[in-house]
Amino acid sequence: FSLGSAILIFLRSLLSVALGLKGSKTFHNKMVHGLMKAPINSFYDVTPSGRIFSRLSSDIDNVDTSIPTELGSCFEFAIGFIAVVAVCSYVLPLTLVFIPPFFYFGRKMQLFYLESAREITRLEEISKTPVVHHISQSIEGSSIIRSFQQQEDFIHKNYYNLDKNLSYYLPRDSISRW
């Protein structure tokens, strides 16, 4: 029994990694292709490069780290759910009557959550751009900042940007735990 379980866990892990790698390659290639085809005047002139890099790096990170893990958890949950429904329906067939309403209300809650999560994630990503932009400009102009003794102003500006970013990050992190 334990050997069969170990083999199934290995196969689930292998499938998660293989599908995650394929998805990551496909996603990266489509993103690069989309950026190369973007119109220069209407996209690159109005979108700061820091925002583009921030969005690309966070999206790639999500695809590389989150999706394979979530896919493995989804497989595990689906198999467990099917087993529980099969046992419950065998023992008490009346439980099959209650499953559709639970799916209906669960879907309603999911849609409400997704709208909120998308908006908070969008705001958090937008607030990340000034942090990256300010740090990169501070590094490039560090000698000028020091020569005019403006280090404290730049430190306070960095703290302000970080506070604004964290004001969206912490609710996003909290809502993702739900």
Side-chain angles (χ1 to χ4, degrees):
F1 180 72
S2 62
L3 179 63
S5 179
I7 290 172
L8 287 176
I9 289 171
F10 175 74
L11 289 175
R12 182 193 73 187
S13 300
L14 190 65
L15 184 64
S16 294
V17 169
L19 291 176
L21 184 61
K22 184 177 187 219
S24 181
K25 283 181 180 178
T26 303
F27 186 71
H28 179 269
N29 290 340
K30 285 184 178 183
M31 277 196 325
V32 169
H33 180 73
L35 282 174
M36 293 300 151
K37 296 290 184 182
I40 291 177
N41 292 342
S42 62
F43 179 71
Y44 289 107
D45 288 345
V46 296
T47 308
S49 60
R51 184 178 297 168
I52 295 170
F53 290 134
S54 174
R55 178 68 189 266
L56 291 178
S57 64
S58 67
D59 286 352
I60 290 283
D61 181 52
N62 283 335
V63 169
D64 287 346
T65 58
S66 300
I67 290 181
T69 304
E70 297 297 324
L71 189 62
S73 297
C74 185
F75 288 147
E76 184 178 340
F77 174 76
I79 290 170
F81 179 76
I82 291 169
V84 167
V85 168
V87 169
C88 287
S89 64
Y90 179 75
V91 172
L92 185 64
L94 185 62
T95 57
L96 292 174
V97 173
F98 294 104
I99 290 175
F102 282 129
F103 272 111
Y104 175 77
F105 289 116
R107 180 67 177 152
K108 285 284 199 187
M109 287 177 28
Q110 181 186 29
L111 291 175
F112 176 76
Y113 161 77
L114 282 175
E115 288 179 26
S116 305
R118 281 187 189 129
E119 185 64 20
I120 289 177
T121 301
R122 185 185 69 78
L123 292 172
E124 193 261 335
E125 289 297 324
I126 289 172
S127 71
K128 192 187 298 182
T129 302
V131 173
V132 173
H133 185 68
H134 184 262
I135 289 173
S136 66
Q137 281 189 334
S138 298
I139 290 170
E140 288 176 17
S142 62
S143 59
I144 296 171
I145 294 169
R146 281 193 298 267
S147 67
F148 286 103
Q149 298 177 349
Q150 295 295 311
Q151 295 96 325
E152 289 297 318
D153 290 341
F154 276 79
I155 289 171
H156 290 299
K157 177 70 172 172
N158 190 41
Y159 285 157
Y160 173 79
N161 289 337
L162 285 172
D163 285 343
K164 191 159 177 80
N165 177 250
L166 288 176
S167 71
Y168 295 115
Y169 173 78
L170 294 175
R172 183 186 65 85
D173 190 50
S174 298
I175 203 169
S176 71
R177 296 181 192 285
W178 182 80

